[in-house]
Amino acid sequence: MHTPPRVLTVAGSDSGGGAGIQADLKTMLALGTHGMSVVTAVTAQNSLGVQGAWELPAEAVRAQFRSVVDDIGVQAVKTGMLSSAELVETVAELLAELRVPVVIDPVGVSKHGDALLAATALDAVRGALLPTATVATPNLDEVAQLTGIQVGEEADMRRAAAAILDFGPRWALIKGGHLAAGHRSGDSSVDLLTDGTEEHWLRAPRHDNRHTHGTGCTLASALAAQLAKGDTVPQAAAAAKDYVTGALAAGFRLGAGIGPVDHGWRSRGTL
C-alpha cells in the first residue's frame, strides 16, 4: 500500500474555507500529498472579511505538532498565520529540530485588509522564524512590513529579496501580484525566486477575476507539497506557480464579497 508524501501545515483556520488550514489541505490533496495540520488560531471569516480571531495556547500548538511529527512524520512543512510573538517563537523552536523543507508564508494581513500578525511579533518573525525557512514567500505588503522596502516596480523586487534573505531563509520567493499595471512587464503576474545567486523570474498570465481569496496560502502549500515530492526549490516554485495560476483563473463567487480560488480546478476540468 503506497503512502503519499506527508505535508504539515501550521496555520490558522478560515471558517469560510478559502484560505488558511482549509486552503492548505485542499491544495495538498490536489497535488497528491497527505496533508496534516497544526491549528494556531480559529477565525470567524467569510467573503467579506474577518469578524473575529482567537489564538490557541502555545501548549496546544506544541502538542499538535508533537503528535503528528513524533508518530506520522513529515516530509515538508508550511506555516501561515502565527499571530503573536509567543506563537512565532514556539513554532520556530519546533521547526528548528526538523531536517525537511520548510516554507514560511509570513502572513501579516488578510485579503480584506484585516491584521493577522501583531506588530510585536515582527521581531520574532525576522529573528526566529525566517531563519528556519527553506523558502520564505512574502507578498509586497509583507515585504514592506518586514523590511520597510516599498516595491513599486519589478526592479525593486531584487532589493526586497536581498533584504528578506538577510534574515536567514535559504530562498526568497517575492510575490509580485500586487504590482500596479504600469510597473510590471506586460499583463502578467511576476514572482522572483532567488537564493542570492540563482535568480528565477516566474511569469504567468494575469486573469481578470476578483475572486482571489487564499492565493498566498495556496501558493505556499503547493510549494511545500512539491518539495515533499522531491522537487528542487526552482522546480517546486514553477509547479506551484502553475497550480495557483489555474486556481486563480477558476476562482468563483461565494457570498457577497471576495470568493476563493478553486483548489479543485484540475479535477473539475474548469480550464
Side-chain angles (χ1 to χ4, degrees), residues 206-253:
R206 183 175 291 268
H207 297 284
D208 184 19
N209 184 355
R210 68 186 293 262
H211 301 300
T212 58
H213 185 49
T215 309
C217 303
T218 300
L219 180 67
S221 295
L223 183 53
Q226 293 300 132
L227 290 171
K229 289 155 66 173
D231 280 3
T232 65
V233 171
Q235 289 170 338
K241 178 78 169 178
D242 180 67
Y243 172 74
V244 80
T245 298
L248 273 163
F252 52 87
R253 181 179 295 106

Side-chain angles (χ1 to χ4, degrees), residues 5 34 38 64 66 76 85 102 110-111 114 140-141 188 197 239 252:
H34 175 68
V38 170
Q64 292 176 81
R66 288 264 65 90
V102 173
S110 78
K111 181 71 68 179
D114 302 290
L140 302 188
D141 292 335
S188 64
T197 302
F252 52 87

Side-chain angles (χ1 to χ4, degrees), residues 36-53:
M36 303 167 291
S37 63
V38 170
V39 180
T40 62
V42 174
T43 68
Q45 187 172 171
N46 57 26
S47 70
L48 299 173
V50 179
Q51 292 79 46

Side-chain angles (χ1 to χ4, degrees), residues 71-95:
D71 173 50
I72 301 172
V74 298
Q75 288 162 280
V77 181
K78 173 260 179 188
T79 73
M81 179 184 175
L82 303 172
S83 53
S84 69
E86 182 183 18
L87 279 188
V88 170
E89 290 164 358
T90 297
V91 171
E93 178 186 334
L94 293 166
L95 293 176

